[in-house]
Amino acid sequence: MIKSLLFAEMNVVPARVPSRDRLGEFLQATGSNGGRELICRVVESYAGFAKWLSENSNKPNAELIQRLNRVETNLSNARKVMNFLRFLEMIRAARAAVPADGNYTLSTALTIGARLSIASFFVCDHLQ
């Protein structure tokens, strides 16, 4: 009541907090490779935690443990497939960082080196 009287005296309309568009946020997250990987990682971690809880319970359910293990393994493989060609993005970014005039600075060299090391990590990660 006091709040409405204060706003009425100042002729100010209190701002409404906009409602969040949950579906839009979900679509934006799944529209990127990082978002899809994050969702897979969360579900994979939850399956691992649920498997651990089931294994350490008083009455472990062998069928549930097998299902959760398969979910965990399949999501791990799905994440590897999603990241398979990600090293090409890093090589492209390193190539874009090369100056056209050939003047290399320490910052440029470090940027190129960092991107190439991330690309080599992605390549070596999939050699397993």
Side-chain angles (χ1 to χ4, degrees), residues 43-100:
V43 174
E44 178 186 348
S45 299
Y46 177 75
F49 179 68
K51 182 180 76 170
W52 177 82
L53 282 178
S54 182
E55 287 172 345
N56 294 323
S57 67
N58 292 336
K59 296 180 182 178
N61 186 347
E63 183 182 341
L64 178 64
I65 292 171
Q66 280 183 332
R67 282 185 178 178
L68 290 171
N69 194 23
R70 283 194 304 255
V71 166
E72 195 175 10
T73 303
N74 289 338
L75 286 174
S76 175
N77 290 335
R79 283 182 40 229
K80 284 186 179 182
V81 168
M82 282 191 284
N83 288 329
F84 180 64
L85 295 177
R86 205 156 165 209
F87 71 94
L88 291 176
E89 292 176 23
M90 289 298 129
I91 291 175
R92 184 175 178 212
R95 188 174 175 200
V98 174

Side-chain angles (χ1 to χ4, degrees), residues 86-91 113-124:
R86 205 156 165 209
F87 71 94
L88 291 176
E89 292 176 23
M90 289 298 129
I91 291 175
R115 291 180 179 160
L116 289 177
S117 67
I118 292 171
S120 64
F121 165 76
F122 285 130
V123 169
C124 294

Side-chain angles (χ1 to χ4, degrees), residues 23-42:
L23 180 62
E25 290 176 0
F26 177 75
L27 292 175
Q28 186 178 9
T30 57
S32 66
N33 190 29
R36 287 186 296 267
E37 182 186 1
L38 178 67
I39 291 169
C40 282
R41 192 175 338 137
V42 166

Side-chain angles (χ1 to χ4, degrees), residues 98-116:
V98 174
D101 57 1
N103 292 332
Y104 289 96
T105 61
L106 179 61
S107 174
T108 305
L110 291 175
T111 301
I112 293 169
R115 291 180 179 160
L116 289 177

